[in-house]
Amino acid sequence: MLKNYLKIAFRHLLKNCVTTVINVLGLALGISCLLIILAVVRYERSYDQFHSKADQIYRVVRVSQGDGATEYRAGISYPVPNALKEDMTIAKEVTATFHIGDMQVSIIDGTTDEVQRQFQEDDGITFADANFFRVFDFKDAGFRWIAGNPETALKEPFTAVLNQTLANKYFPEGNALGNTLKLDNLIDVKVTGIVSDLPANSDFPFKIIASYATLNTEGLFKNSFSDWYSVNDDNQGYILLNEGIAVEEAEEQILKIHAARVDERLAQSRLYKLQPLRELHTDNRFDNYRSRTVSSETTWALLIIGVFIIGSASINFVNLSTAQSILRSKEVGIRKTMGSNRTQLTIQFLGETFIVTLTAGILALGAAELVTVYASDLLQMETTGMLLSNSFILISLVAIIIGVALLAGTYPALMMSQFNPVVALKNKIDGKAQRGIQLRRGLVTLQFVIAQIFIIGTIVVIKQMDYFRNAELGFDQEAVITARLPEGRNPDLSTLETLENQWKSNSTVKSVSFASTSPSGVGRSNSFWDIKRQGASEGSEGIVFERQSVDEQYLDLFQIPLVAGRNFLPSDTSQRIILNRKLSDRAGFSDPADALNETMLIGETAYTIIGVVENFHTQPLKGELDYVGLLMQPKDYNTANIKLNLASTENASNRLSETIQQLEASWNSTYPEYIFDYRFLDESIAAYYQEEARLTQLFKVLAVITIFIGCLGLYGLIAFMAVRRTKEVGIRKALGASVQHILILFSKEFIYLILIAFCIAGPIAFYVMQQWLQNFTYQIDLDSSVFILAISVSVLIAILTVSHQSINAALANPVDSLRNE
């Protein structure tokens, strides 16, 4: 019996090869998409979950209140971790990290103290205290200490731990332990430990971990460790709570510890909260060291999209199977006459569905594995052999195959198995066929609803990304190169002047400015302080603002306009400040001109306001404008900003290459021990939206797949209709119908269904995308053009899909269609 079922199933599938290919291809695409989405979602949710006490680990974050708004930041002031270690009785461990990111690393000869080799590391350099590996044990990630003592490796200043990759890179001879590294030619650290590489699904991209105690030394950040006002988002604290401790209890204790060490104003305006470790990767309000968060809403949206895609593929199967049911009515009638019962027929038809689904599942697994390998940058996850060796994915595949087979095959099997043999043999099942037509119309409409939601969503995402790329940020970002200065704090001003003059000798260099940072972009330095207007009432709250140290050429280079007052002069002292308009308004000046010559207090130091500039964006457009204050304090300069003039230059590409070489040559003559590491500012700003750009690409791909699956089903249905209505078309042509008339005959029903689907999809897509846009402070308007474009694309796709079969049917010779009548 089973052999007979299989034989009949294969014969039927081969006989109807077009339908079989459409079903297999559609299901394979749907299943592969769902498998990839499941792998991505599982990977994103696995971030930082491999620590043995992950549920007890929290990050200390700051929440600042002011001007009716709440600001969320991940950084804390430098003294906070030590204070928590001393007084927080309900914390088992407290650890602090300061992530530098990029640094130049030099290998020092142990006998001659000479530099042997130099490397520019773009990321992965951090400082952490001795408690770091007590809080984060990476137990379930295969982490291990290869050399060194984990209890003492980071205890003393000027020590460091390397991951295995960098240890092999720096010391290929295999004797990394005990050797010396020079970081940015400023800090010598001794290698006291080697560990296995931290997992990729960790928000701690650490490769070199220097001891946090190093920062609390002369010439680095020693003064900052007594400064409760200034904060840096790269300086973060983590605590491991004792078991059974409520978060609210811990936050209350932190509040008391902080309030006991600062004035009432700062204690009220800056609150420290606890963020669970599991939310580091999903909470968009706070950043992490990878500068990448994926919200829970995004992962749920991906799962829903995957279900929609597999559902669309299943709809194809149901549509084509029910459409073919009339052709198989005689087969059902004969089988029932020969003694087959309904159960046997249902099993047979479900068996055919299972064969198609199993074939599609096998193809889908192979296709998904290839996609994850070749699209790893898009998917942002480790992919080598990820699906074939992943038990969760394989179990999911089996469940999907069974589920899809039952979902797609049950209705057609039950419908065909209930045919009356007498009626079936007489080919008189028009009533049932009519009900099948209504079902197919409903399912096609549902497919178009799904497709149009995708089309509208993709259009909105693309437009929002275009807005990010083209929005005015309040400063000129074009043709600007930024380079981090090597001397850290207190650079030599005469050296900077020499370097500036050498750079300006190149006719392509328009301007040079030294500052503590660039106005915006990934990798920039930022420092947040507390500022207050002099004369404000006792106990009034301060304003947390971003403090930038700039020179007199900064505003001109970036074309940041003054709205009141003047720019810095070379003769100005460090007690002058320029506010942005937002900070001026927040300080209580109704007009920017009213702020001039007034005094602001940063801590106990008074600064005279000499100007107010227009607001400019220092952070991504996803958030609010920052309060910004500009000071002229050369000791904080650590960034060179170089404006190029390439617009009027012929062969700009070649000229740019020559300019970079000249800039590097001047750099090497000035700083021979440092590598010239530069970035283009517009690329740094674009990197803010790397995650959104990735999601845009995913949306495009998934939308195309959804539309393609829908077109496959539509093509199959129109092909079936063309065959079933061959004689009707022949009669119409014999009576004078034109090709256009026949084309309209086949197309109008689907256009009608598209319009119905749009009436359903439009409001759903509007609501969903409006909710998505709420994640961004600056967003596009959902105007009618989005929906007009969506319906136009849907109609065009449907017409192109049905036109081929429709035209073939219209051009057929009516004599051939009617010759057997």
Side-chain angles (χ1 to χ4, degrees), residues 290-291 380 465 622 686-695:
R290 286 197 182 274
S291 298
Q380 288 285 298
M465 286 304 301
K622 293 177 280 189
Y688 271 145
Y689 311 106
Q690 195 170 23
E691 185 62 23
E692 285 73 20
R694 185 178 75 94
L695 290 176

Side-chain angles (χ1 to χ4, degrees), residues 290-292 465 469 477 521-523 620 622 679-693:
R290 286 197 182 274
S291 298
R292 178 175 173 266
M465 286 304 301
R469 282 191 290 266
Q477 59 176 297
V522 169
K622 293 177 280 189
R679 299 177 181 179
F680 286 93
L681 181 59
D682 54 354
E683 293 177 355
S684 297
I685 293 172
Y688 271 145
Y689 311 106
Q690 195 170 23
E691 185 62 23
E692 285 73 20

Side-chain angles (χ1 to χ4, degrees), residues 157-446:
F158 306 107
T159 56
V161 172
L162 299 183
N163 72 359
Q164 189 171 16
T165 297
L166 288 191
N168 294 337
K169 174 182 174 182
Y170 296 159
F171 305 98
E173 61 277 7
N175 57 343
L177 203 67
N179 278 281
T180 301
L181 306 177
K182 185 181 284 289
L183 305 180
D184 265 3
N185 285 327
L186 292 174
I187 310 168
D188 287 352
V189 294
K190 181 181 179 181
V191 179
T192 53
I194 302 171
V195 297
S196 58
D197 292 4
L198 300 188
N201 55 334
S202 169
D203 287 309
F204 301 102
F206 300 163
K207 301 174 184 177
I208 298 178
I209 306 176
S211 63
Y212 194 79
T214 307
L215 300 175
N216 194 8
T217 55
E218 294 294 341
L220 290 174
F221 294 88
K222 187 173 182 61
N223 294 334
S224 298
F225 279 81
S226 59
D227 181 2
W228 287 86
Y229 286 88
S230 62
V231 289
N232 187 318
D233 283 344
D234 291 324
N235 187 67
Q236 299 182 7
Y238 298 84
I239 65 174
L240 175 63
L241 290 180
N242 290 321
E243 292 185 21
I245 299 299
V247 173
E248 294 76 14
E249 182 183 354
E251 288 179 340
E252 184 178 351
Q253 193 170 98
I254 293 173
L255 180 65
K256 292 179 179 178
I257 293 171
H258 183 241
R261 288 167 167 81
V262 299
D263 59 44
E264 182 180 357
R265 178 170 53 88
L266 183 59
Q268 291 178 350
S269 63
R270 184 186 299 172
L271 304 177
Y272 286 112
K273 299 287 186 179
L274 294 182
Q275 180 191 27
L277 178 66
R278 62 178 177 272
E279 295 181 6
L280 255 67
H281 196 66
T282 60
D283 193 339
N284 291 327
R285 297 174 304 170
F286 303 99
D287 203 357
N288 56 49
Y289 285 147
R290 286 197 182 274
S291 298
R292 178 175 173 266
T293 57
V294 180
S295 67
S296 297
E297 291 81 3
T298 299
T299 55
W300 277 111
L302 285 174
L303 286 173
I304 292 172
I305 289 170
V307 172
F308 277 171
I309 291 176
I310 197 68
S312 185
S314 299
I315 287 172
N316 280 353
F317 192 96
V318 174
N319 272 341
L320 295 177
S321 296
T322 54
Q324 285 189 318
S325 62
I326 299 174
L327 299 179
R328 304 192 69 179
S329 60
K330 287 187 173 64
E331 176 191 343
V332 173
I334 293 172
R335 284 184 172 277
K336 282 196 170 185
T337 302
M338 298 297 292
S340 292
N341 57 38
R342 187 175 180 183
T343 301
Q344 290 173 323
L345 291 170
T346 301
I347 292 173
Q348 178 193 333
F349 294 136
L350 279 175
E352 292 176 6
T353 304
F354 181 76
I355 291 173
V356 171
T357 310
L358 179 62
T359 304
I362 294 171
L363 293 175
L365 182 61
E369 184 68 40
L370 288 175
V371 170
T372 55
V373 170
Y374 291 104
S376 57
D377 290 341
L378 177 63
L379 300 176
Q380 288 285 298
M381 65 178 185
E382 287 187 327
T383 56
T384 305
M386 181 162 186
L387 302 186
L388 294 176
S389 61
N390 190 316
S391 59
F392 169 79
I393 294 298
L394 296 178
I395 293 172
S396 299
L397 176 61
V398 172
I400 291 169
I401 290 174
I402 295 174
V404 170
L406 293 175
L407 175 69
T410 299
Y411 176 78
L414 292 175
M415 187 191 74
M416 287 187 287
S417 65
Q418 71 178 354
F419 287 161
N420 186 302
V422 176
V423 176
L425 290 172
K426 291 182 178 181
N427 203 20
K428 294 181 178 181
I429 54 173
D430 293 339
K432 296 183 185 297
Q434 185 63 31
R435 289 196 296 271
I437 289 173
Q438 296 303 325
L439 172 69
R440 289 195 294 277
R441 285 174 177 167
L443 292 176
V444 168
T445 302
L446 179 57

Side-chain angles (χ1 to χ4, degrees), residues 568-693:
F568 290 113
L569 300 174
S571 58
D572 278 331
T573 67
S574 59
Q575 266 63 57
R576 302 285 187 269
I577 189 171
I578 296 176
L579 313 181
N580 73 340
R581 185 192 286 268
K582 185 175 182 180
L583 180 54
S584 173
D585 293 342
R586 178 70 179 82
F589 301 110
S590 57
D591 186 277
D594 296 340
L596 301 181
N597 298 317
E598 294 290 337
T599 302
M600 303 294 289
L601 297 175
I602 302 177
E604 301 300 325
T605 306
Y607 294 83
T608 301
I609 302 172
I610 62 170
V612 178
V613 296
E614 193 56 79
N615 294 325
F616 59 93
H617 290 275
T618 61
Q619 302 294 333
L621 292 172
K622 293 177 280 189
E624 295 281 354
L625 282 163
D626 271 335
Y627 302 110
V628 180
L630 307 179
L631 297 92
M632 194 172 180
Q633 296 184 334
K635 68 181 180 63
D636 293 329
Y637 294 167
N638 58 27
T639 301
N641 302 287
I642 310 159
K643 175 71 174 179
L644 305 181
N645 182 19
L646 299 170
S648 59
T649 305
E650 295 184 5
N651 298 320
S653 178
N654 293 336
R655 185 59 178 152
L656 175 61
S657 178
E658 294 173 2
T659 301
I660 296 295
Q661 291 177 10
Q662 188 272 330
L663 295 176
E664 185 171 9
S666 299
W667 177 278
N668 292 337
S669 66
T670 307
Y671 300 114
E673 297 180 345
Y674 293 89
I675 298 171
F676 181 54
D677 183 37
Y678 66 91
R679 299 177 181 179
F680 286 93
L681 181 59
D682 54 354
E683 293 177 355
S684 297
I685 293 172
Y688 271 145
Y689 311 106
Q690 195 170 23
E691 185 62 23
E692 285 73 20

